[in-house]
mmCIF file of all heavy atoms in Angstrom:
data_model
loop_
_atom_site.group_PDB
_atom_site.id
_atom_site.type_symbol
_atom_site.label_atom_id
_atom_site.label_comp_id
_atom_site.label_asym_id
_atom_site.label_seq_id
_atom_site.Cartn_x
_atom_site.Cartn_y
_atom_site.Cartn_z
ATOM 1 N N THR L 56 -8.118 40.297 15.279
ATOM 2 C CA THR L 56 -8.772 39.093 14.723
ATOM 3 C C THR L 56 -9.534 39.393 13.405
ATOM 4 O O THR L 56 -9.776 38.344 12.738
ATOM 5 C CB THR L 56 -9.741 38.492 15.763
ATOM 6 O OG1 THR L 56 -10.755 39.489 16.089
ATOM 7 C CG2 THR L 56 -9.035 38.162 17.028
ATOM 8 N N ASP L 57 -9.843 40.592 13.146
ATOM 9 C CA ASP L 57 -10.539 40.891 11.875
ATOM 10 C C ASP L 57 -9.516 41.509 10.866
ATOM 11 O O ASP L 57 -9.159 42.611 11.034
ATOM 12 C CB ASP L 57 -11.678 41.843 12.054
ATOM 13 C CG ASP L 57 -12.555 42.093 10.849
ATOM 14 O OD1 ASP L 57 -12.130 41.661 9.724
ATOM 15 O OD2 ASP L 57 -13.626 42.745 11.021
ATOM 16 N N LYS L 58 -9.132 40.751 9.869
ATOM 17 C CA LYS L 58 -8.105 41.190 8.906
ATOM 18 C C LYS L 58 -8.740 41.823 7.628
ATOM 19 O O LYS L 58 -8.170 41.794 6.643
ATOM 20 C CB LYS L 58 -7.227 39.983 8.462
ATOM 21 C CG LYS L 58 -6.693 39.210 9.669
ATOM 22 C CD LYS L 58 -5.646 40.001 10.378
ATOM 23 C CE LYS L 58 -4.895 39.159 11.443
ATOM 24 N NZ LYS L 58 -4.216 39.905 12.495
ATOM 25 N N THR L 59 -9.841 42.515 7.857
ATOM 26 C CA THR L 59 -10.541 43.274 6.723
ATOM 27 C C THR L 59 -10.150 44.605 6.857
ATOM 28 O O THR L 59 -10.394 45.273 7.901
ATOM 29 C CB THR L 59 -12.056 43.004 6.805
ATOM 30 O OG1 THR L 59 -12.311 41.680 6.854
ATOM 31 C CG2 THR L 59 -12.729 43.717 5.614
ATOM 32 N N CYS L 60 -9.534 45.223 5.835
ATOM 33 C CA CYS L 60 -9.248 46.605 5.771
ATOM 34 C C CYS L 60 -10.511 47.526 5.846
ATOM 35 O O CYS L 60 -11.271 47.353 4.931
ATOM 36 C CB CYS L 60 -8.339 46.998 4.608
ATOM 37 S SG CYS L 60 -6.749 46.097 4.568
ATOM 38 N N VAL L 61 -10.574 48.456 6.697
ATOM 39 C CA VAL L 61 -11.629 49.363 6.792
ATOM 40 C C VAL L 61 -11.025 50.865 6.926
ATOM 41 O O VAL L 61 -9.862 51.023 7.298
ATOM 42 C CB VAL L 61 -12.648 49.258 7.976
ATOM 43 C CG1 VAL L 61 -13.339 47.862 7.829
ATOM 44 C CG2 VAL L 61 -11.908 49.248 9.274
ATOM 45 N N MET L 62 -11.823 51.875 6.410
ATOM 46 C CA MET L 62 -11.283 53.270 6.603
ATOM 47 C C MET L 62 -11.012 53.683 7.981
ATOM 48 O O MET L 62 -11.811 53.393 8.834
ATOM 49 C CB MET L 62 -12.390 54.112 5.895
ATOM 50 C CG MET L 62 -11.940 55.685 5.855
ATOM 51 S SD MET L 62 -13.148 56.752 5.190
ATOM 52 C CE MET L 62 -13.184 56.272 3.488
ATOM 53 N N CYS L 63 -9.946 54.395 8.138
ATOM 54 C CA CYS L 63 -9.541 54.888 9.492
ATOM 55 C C CYS L 63 -10.620 56.026 9.860
ATOM 56 O O CYS L 63 -11.035 56.791 8.978
ATOM 57 C CB CYS L 63 -8.213 55.498 9.485
ATOM 58 S SG CYS L 63 -6.872 54.251 9.252
ATOM 59 N N GLY L 64 -10.957 56.075 11.063
ATOM 60 C CA GLY L 64 -11.926 57.005 11.528
ATOM 61 C C GLY L 64 -11.178 58.331 11.822
ATOM 62 O O GLY L 64 -9.944 58.470 11.839
ATOM 63 N N ALA L 65 -12.053 59.345 12.152
ATOM 64 C CA ALA L 65 -11.524 60.742 12.579
ATOM 65 C C ALA L 65 -10.549 60.517 13.705
ATOM 66 O O ALA L 65 -10.730 59.642 14.583
ATOM 67 C CB ALA L 65 -12.695 61.552 12.859
ATOM 68 N N GLY L 66 -9.519 61.254 13.730
ATOM 69 C CA GLY L 66 -8.509 61.195 14.840
ATOM 70 C C GLY L 66 -7.398 60.224 14.596
ATOM 71 O O GLY L 66 -6.634 59.966 15.503
ATOM 72 N N THR L 67 -7.473 59.534 13.513
ATOM 73 C CA THR L 67 -6.465 58.394 13.240
ATOM 74 C C THR L 67 -6.047 58.568 11.800
ATOM 75 O O THR L 67 -6.603 59.292 10.995
ATOM 76 C CB THR L 67 -7.050 57.012 13.354
ATOM 77 O OG1 THR L 67 -8.025 56.836 12.448
ATOM 78 C CG2 THR L 67 -7.593 56.906 14.814
ATOM 79 N N PHE L 68 -4.924 57.912 11.463
ATOM 80 C CA PHE L 68 -4.384 57.910 10.056
ATOM 81 C C PHE L 68 -3.624 56.607 9.966
ATOM 82 O O PHE L 68 -3.252 55.838 10.887
ATOM 83 C CB PHE L 68 -3.420 59.050 9.808
ATOM 84 C CG PHE L 68 -2.197 59.022 10.727
ATOM 85 C CD1 PHE L 68 -0.974 58.465 10.276
ATOM 86 C CD2 PHE L 68 -2.197 59.597 11.981
ATOM 87 C CE1 PHE L 68 0.110 58.450 11.111
ATOM 88 C CE2 PHE L 68 -1.087 59.481 12.823
ATOM 89 C CZ PHE L 68 0.049 58.958 12.357
ATOM 90 N N SER L 69 -3.402 56.283 8.651
ATOM 91 C CA SER L 69 -2.402 55.041 8.412
ATOM 92 C C SER L 69 -1.736 55.235 7.099
ATOM 93 O O SER L 69 -2.325 55.815 6.131
ATOM 94 C CB SER L 69 -3.233 53.789 8.333
ATOM 95 O OG SER L 69 -3.930 53.623 7.119
ATOM 96 N N VAL L 70 -0.495 54.749 7.079
ATOM 97 C CA VAL L 70 0.312 54.838 5.798
ATOM 98 C C VAL L 70 0.158 53.520 5.001
ATOM 99 O O VAL L 70 -0.372 52.529 5.589
ATOM 100 C CB VAL L 70 1.811 55.110 6.153
ATOM 101 C CG1 VAL L 70 2.051 56.348 6.903
ATOM 102 C CG2 VAL L 70 2.321 53.911 6.979
ATOM 103 N N GLU L 71 0.496 53.617 3.784
ATOM 104 C CA GLU L 71 0.352 52.369 2.876
ATOM 105 C C GLU L 71 1.090 51.196 3.581
ATOM 106 O O GLU L 71 2.168 51.290 4.049
ATOM 107 C CB GLU L 71 1.109 52.748 1.539
ATOM 108 C CG GLU L 71 1.059 51.616 0.450
ATOM 109 C CD GLU L 71 -0.333 51.537 -0.137
ATOM 110 O OE1 GLU L 71 -1.081 52.545 -0.270
ATOM 111 O OE2 GLU L 71 -0.644 50.457 -0.599
ATOM 112 N N GLY L 72 0.394 50.021 3.465
ATOM 113 C CA GLY L 72 0.978 48.763 4.035
ATOM 114 C C GLY L 72 0.813 48.601 5.551
ATOM 115 O O GLY L 72 1.085 47.562 6.054
ATOM 116 N N SER L 73 0.248 49.557 6.215
ATOM 117 C CA SER L 73 -0.035 49.451 7.699
ATOM 118 C C SER L 73 -1.142 48.519 7.937
ATOM 119 O O SER L 73 -2.158 48.434 7.092
ATOM 120 C CB SER L 73 -0.210 50.816 8.329
ATOM 121 O OG SER L 73 -0.503 50.781 9.751
ATOM 122 N N THR L 74 -1.238 47.858 9.045
ATOM 123 C CA THR L 74 -2.432 47.023 9.388
ATOM 124 C C THR L 74 -3.234 47.736 10.454
ATOM 125 O O THR L 74 -4.310 47.144 10.771
ATOM 126 C CB THR L 74 -1.968 45.670 9.892
ATOM 127 O OG1 THR L 74 -1.066 45.845 11.041
ATOM 128 C CG2 THR L 74 -1.177 44.896 8.772
ATOM 129 N N ASN L 75 -2.887 48.788 10.950
ATOM 130 C CA ASN L 75 -3.768 49.522 12.053
ATOM 131 C C ASN L 75 -3.725 50.976 11.720
ATOM 132 O O ASN L 75 -2.879 51.567 11.101
ATOM 133 C CB ASN L 75 -3.276 49.142 13.369
ATOM 134 C CG ASN L 75 -1.942 49.740 13.652
ATOM 135 O OD1 ASN L 75 -1.004 49.621 12.919
ATOM 136 N ND2 ASN L 75 -1.671 50.237 14.873
ATOM 137 N N CYS L 76 -4.811 51.571 12.257
ATOM 138 C CA CYS L 76 -4.845 53.074 12.164
ATOM 139 C C CYS L 76 -4.194 53.680 13.428
ATOM 140 O O CYS L 76 -4.445 53.203 14.474
ATOM 141 C CB CYS L 76 -6.420 53.481 12.065
ATOM 142 S SG CYS L 76 -7.205 52.875 10.657
ATOM 143 N N THR L 77 -3.322 54.577 13.219
ATOM 144 C CA THR L 77 -2.585 55.206 14.329
ATOM 145 C C THR L 77 -3.278 56.355 14.827
ATOM 146 O O THR L 77 -3.774 57.245 14.053
ATOM 147 C CB THR L 77 -1.190 55.587 13.867
ATOM 148 O OG1 THR L 77 -0.472 54.448 13.261
ATOM 149 C CG2 THR L 77 -0.336 56.177 14.896
ATOM 150 N N ARG L 78 -3.460 56.569 16.159
ATOM 151 C CA ARG L 78 -4.123 57.760 16.721
ATOM 152 C C ARG L 78 -3.262 58.974 16.561
ATOM 153 O O ARG L 78 -2.018 58.884 16.687
ATOM 154 C CB ARG L 78 -4.318 57.492 18.221
ATOM 155 C CG ARG L 78 -5.298 56.393 18.466
ATOM 156 C CD ARG L 78 -5.521 56.203 20.014
ATOM 157 N NE ARG L 78 -6.248 55.057 20.233
ATOM 158 C CZ ARG L 78 -6.382 54.582 21.414
ATOM 159 N NH1 ARG L 78 -5.725 55.149 22.475
ATOM 160 N NH2 ARG L 78 -7.106 53.550 21.725
ATOM 161 N N CYS L 79 -3.865 60.093 16.371
ATOM 162 C CA CYS L 79 -3.249 61.380 16.338
ATOM 163 C C CYS L 79 -2.637 61.516 17.734
ATOM 164 O O CYS L 79 -3.340 61.126 18.778
ATOM 165 C CB CYS L 79 -4.113 62.539 16.090
ATOM 166 S SG CYS L 79 -4.645 62.615 14.344
ATOM 167 N N PRO L 80 -1.499 62.064 17.984
ATOM 168 C CA PRO L 80 -0.907 62.246 19.317
ATOM 169 C C PRO L 80 -1.674 63.276 20.256
ATOM 170 O O PRO L 80 -2.416 64.060 19.664
ATOM 171 C CB PRO L 80 0.464 62.719 19.102
ATOM 172 C CG PRO L 80 0.557 63.090 17.650
ATOM 173 C CD PRO L 80 -0.625 62.620 16.895
ATOM 174 N N ALA L 81 -1.512 63.137 21.467
ATOM 175 C CA ALA L 81 -2.134 64.075 22.468
ATOM 176 C C ALA L 81 -1.681 65.483 22.037
ATOM 177 O O ALA L 81 -0.553 65.652 21.468
ATOM 178 C CB ALA L 81 -1.699 63.838 23.891
ATOM 179 N N GLY L 82 -2.546 66.459 22.209
ATOM 180 C CA GLY L 82 -2.334 67.841 21.739
ATOM 181 C C GLY L 82 -2.692 68.138 20.400
ATOM 182 O O GLY L 82 -2.433 69.290 19.865
ATOM 183 N N THR L 83 -3.216 67.082 19.674
ATOM 184 C CA THR L 83 -3.701 67.331 18.286
ATOM 185 C C THR L 83 -5.144 66.624 18.155
ATOM 186 O O THR L 83 -5.553 65.903 18.925
ATOM 187 C CB THR L 83 -2.734 66.644 17.312
ATOM 188 O OG1 THR L 83 -2.792 65.109 17.429
ATOM 189 C CG2 THR L 83 -1.270 67.077 17.461
ATOM 190 N N TRP L 84 -5.690 67.046 16.975
ATOM 191 C CA TRP L 84 -6.948 66.403 16.645
ATOM 192 C C TRP L 84 -7.086 66.367 15.190
ATOM 193 O O TRP L 84 -6.322 66.979 14.440
ATOM 194 C CB TRP L 84 -8.088 67.258 17.237
ATOM 195 C CG TRP L 84 -8.066 68.623 16.644
ATOM 196 C CD1 TRP L 84 -7.282 69.680 17.122
ATOM 197 C CD2 TRP L 84 -8.836 69.196 15.505
ATOM 198 N NE1 TRP L 84 -7.485 70.810 16.359
ATOM 199 C CE2 TRP L 84 -8.434 70.504 15.428
ATOM 200 C CE3 TRP L 84 -9.722 68.566 14.619
ATOM 201 C CZ2 TRP L 84 -8.959 71.308 14.370
ATOM 202 C CZ3 TRP L 84 -10.194 69.343 13.631
ATOM 203 C CH2 TRP L 84 -9.816 70.731 13.469
ATOM 204 N N SER L 85 -7.995 65.520 14.599
ATOM 205 C CA SER L 85 -8.322 65.525 13.185
ATOM 206 C C SER L 85 -9.735 65.007 12.939
ATOM 207 O O SER L 85 -10.139 64.028 13.496
ATOM 208 C CB SER L 85 -7.375 64.495 12.468
ATOM 209 O OG SER L 85 -7.656 64.432 11.089
ATOM 210 N N SER L 86 -10.455 65.784 12.156
ATOM 211 C CA SER L 86 -11.902 65.316 11.759
ATOM 212 C C SER L 86 -11.751 64.525 10.406
ATOM 213 O O SER L 86 -12.877 64.132 9.948
ATOM 214 C CB SER L 86 -12.660 66.599 11.654
ATOM 215 O OG SER L 86 -12.167 67.441 10.595
ATOM 216 N N VAL L 87 -10.624 64.321 9.778
ATOM 217 C CA VAL L 87 -10.526 63.673 8.573
ATOM 218 C C VAL L 87 -10.625 62.187 8.730
ATOM 219 O O VAL L 87 -9.988 61.594 9.540
ATOM 220 C CB VAL L 87 -9.147 64.014 7.889
ATOM 221 C CG1 VAL L 87 -8.973 63.248 6.553
ATOM 222 C CG2 VAL L 87 -9.032 65.474 7.597
ATOM 223 N N ARG L 88 -11.467 61.502 7.861
ATOM 224 C CA ARG L 88 -11.587 60.117 7.871
ATOM 225 C C ARG L 88 -10.689 59.593 6.704
ATOM 226 O O ARG L 88 -10.727 60.235 5.705
ATOM 227 C CB ARG L 88 -13.119 59.634 7.568
ATOM 228 C CG ARG L 88 -13.951 60.032 8.837
ATOM 229 C CD ARG L 88 -15.270 59.392 8.668
ATOM 230 N NE ARG L 88 -15.068 58.009 8.421
ATOM 231 C CZ ARG L 88 -15.975 57.063 8.216
ATOM 232 N NH1 ARG L 88 -17.208 57.391 8.323
ATOM 233 N NH2 ARG L 88 -15.602 55.849 7.860
ATOM 234 N N GLY L 89 -10.116 58.447 6.837
ATOM 235 C CA GLY L 89 -9.229 57.926 5.794
ATOM 236 C C GLY L 89 -7.987 58.617 5.596
ATOM 237 O O GLY L 89 -7.429 58.659 4.509
ATOM 238 N N ALA L 90 -7.460 59.376 6.704
ATOM 239 C CA ALA L 90 -6.292 60.079 6.589
ATOM 240 C C ALA L 90 -5.095 59.177 6.296
ATOM 241 O O ALA L 90 -4.928 58.157 6.810
ATOM 242 C CB ALA L 90 -6.036 60.865 7.918
ATOM 243 N N VAL L 91 -4.205 59.688 5.449
ATOM 244 C CA VAL L 91 -2.952 58.862 5.049
ATOM 245 C C VAL L 91 -1.684 59.281 5.668
ATOM 246 O O VAL L 91 -0.650 58.543 5.475
ATOM 247 C CB VAL L 91 -2.842 58.880 3.560
ATOM 248 C CG1 VAL L 91 -4.077 58.392 2.818
ATOM 249 C CG2 VAL L 91 -2.542 60.391 3.034
ATOM 250 N N ASP L 92 -1.605 60.180 6.524
ATOM 251 C CA ASP L 92 -0.422 60.523 7.282
ATOM 252 C C ASP L 92 -0.652 61.487 8.420
ATOM 253 O O ASP L 92 -1.800 62.179 8.504
ATOM 254 C CB ASP L 92 0.788 61.139 6.332
ATOM 255 C CG ASP L 92 0.417 62.356 5.677
ATOM 256 O OD1 ASP L 92 -0.191 63.271 6.340
ATOM 257 O OD2 ASP L 92 0.682 62.605 4.421
ATOM 258 N N ILE L 93 0.336 61.769 9.289
ATOM 259 C CA ILE L 93 0.167 62.508 10.626
ATOM 260 C C ILE L 93 -0.044 63.869 10.314
ATOM 261 O O ILE L 93 -0.530 64.696 11.149
ATOM 262 C CB ILE L 93 1.373 62.278 11.392
ATOM 263 C CG1 ILE L 93 1.107 62.725 12.835
ATOM 264 C CG2 ILE L 93 2.618 63.019 10.793
ATOM 265 C CD1 ILE L 93 2.110 62.367 13.887
ATOM 266 N N SER L 94 0.172 64.381 9.016
ATOM 267 C CA SER L 94 -0.047 65.811 8.686
ATOM 268 C C SER L 94 -1.445 66.349 8.823
ATOM 269 O O SER L 94 -1.853 67.497 9.000
ATOM 270 C CB SER L 94 0.479 66.227 7.383
ATOM 271 O OG SER L 94 -0.327 65.664 6.376
ATOM 272 N N THR L 95 -2.434 65.393 8.851
ATOM 273 C CA THR L 95 -3.829 65.815 9.023
ATOM 274 C C THR L 95 -4.184 66.132 10.506
ATOM 275 O O THR L 95 -5.240 66.630 10.862
ATOM 276 C CB THR L 95 -4.781 64.626 8.505
ATOM 277 O OG1 THR L 95 -4.455 63.537 9.224
ATOM 278 C CG2 THR L 95 -4.687 64.467 7.075
ATOM 279 N N CYS L 96 -3.246 65.610 11.453
ATOM 280 C CA CYS L 96 -3.491 65.894 12.856
ATOM 281 C C CYS L 96 -3.117 67.350 13.151
ATOM 282 O O CYS L 96 -1.993 67.743 13.040
ATOM 283 C CB CYS L 96 -2.600 64.931 13.768
ATOM 284 S SG CYS L 96 -2.906 63.239 13.368
ATOM 285 N N GLN L 97 -4.136 68.192 13.475
ATOM 286 C CA GLN L 97 -3.932 69.668 13.741
ATOM 287 C C GLN L 97 -3.556 69.840 15.134
ATOM 288 O O GLN L 97 -4.269 69.212 16.065
ATOM 289 C CB GLN L 97 -5.273 70.372 13.343
ATOM 290 C CG GLN L 97 -5.616 70.178 11.957
ATOM 291 C CD GLN L 97 -4.712 70.717 10.967
ATOM 292 O OE1 GLN L 97 -4.403 71.926 11.042
ATOM 293 N NE2 GLN L 97 -4.325 69.892 9.921
ATOM 294 N N LYS L 98 -2.625 70.724 15.431
ATOM 295 C CA LYS L 98 -2.271 71.013 16.816
ATOM 296 C C LYS L 98 -3.393 71.839 17.458
ATOM 297 O O LYS L 98 -4.034 72.670 16.857
ATOM 298 C CB LYS L 98 -1.010 71.746 16.834
ATOM 299 C CG LYS L 98 0.213 70.974 16.475
ATOM 300 C CD LYS L 98 1.487 71.806 16.550
ATOM 301 C CE LYS L 98 2.702 71.015 16.242
ATOM 302 N NZ LYS L 98 3.911 71.716 16.396
ATOM 303 N N CYS L 99 -3.644 71.556 18.730
ATOM 304 C CA CYS L 99 -4.536 72.460 19.581
ATOM 305 C C CYS L 99 -3.981 73.859 19.517
ATOM 306 O O CYS L 99 -2.717 74.061 19.556
ATOM 307 C CB CYS L 99 -4.642 72.008 21.004
ATOM 308 S SG CYS L 99 -5.499 70.308 21.212
ATOM 309 N N ARG L 100 -4.805 74.836 19.374
ATOM 310 C CA ARG L 100 -4.362 76.261 19.247
ATOM 311 C C ARG L 100 -3.641 76.660 20.583
ATOM 312 O O ARG L 100 -3.957 76.087 21.639
ATOM 313 C CB ARG L 100 -5.548 77.178 18.956
ATOM 314 C CG ARG L 100 -6.609 77.231 20.014
ATOM 315 C CD ARG L 100 -7.719 78.247 19.609
ATOM 316 N NE ARG L 100 -8.851 78.182 20.451
ATOM 317 C CZ ARG L 100 -8.781 78.742 21.702
ATOM 318 N NH1 ARG L 100 -7.914 79.375 22.235
ATOM 319 N NH2 ARG L 100 -9.913 78.578 22.442
#
Side-chain angles (χ1 to χ4, degrees):
T56 57
D57 185 351
K58 306 294 188 199
T59 306
C60 297
V61 296
M62 182 183 291
C63 293
T67 65
F68 64 93
S69 77
V70 297
E71 183 76 27
S73 182
T74 57
N75 64 320
C76 298
T77 303
R78 295 179 187 167
C79 288
T83 67
W84 61 275
S85 176
S86 60
V87 177
R88 295 190 47 181
V91 299
D92 62 44
I93 196 169
S94 69
T95 57
C96 302
Q97 303 294 309
K98 291 182 178 180
C99 291
R100 64 177 172 77

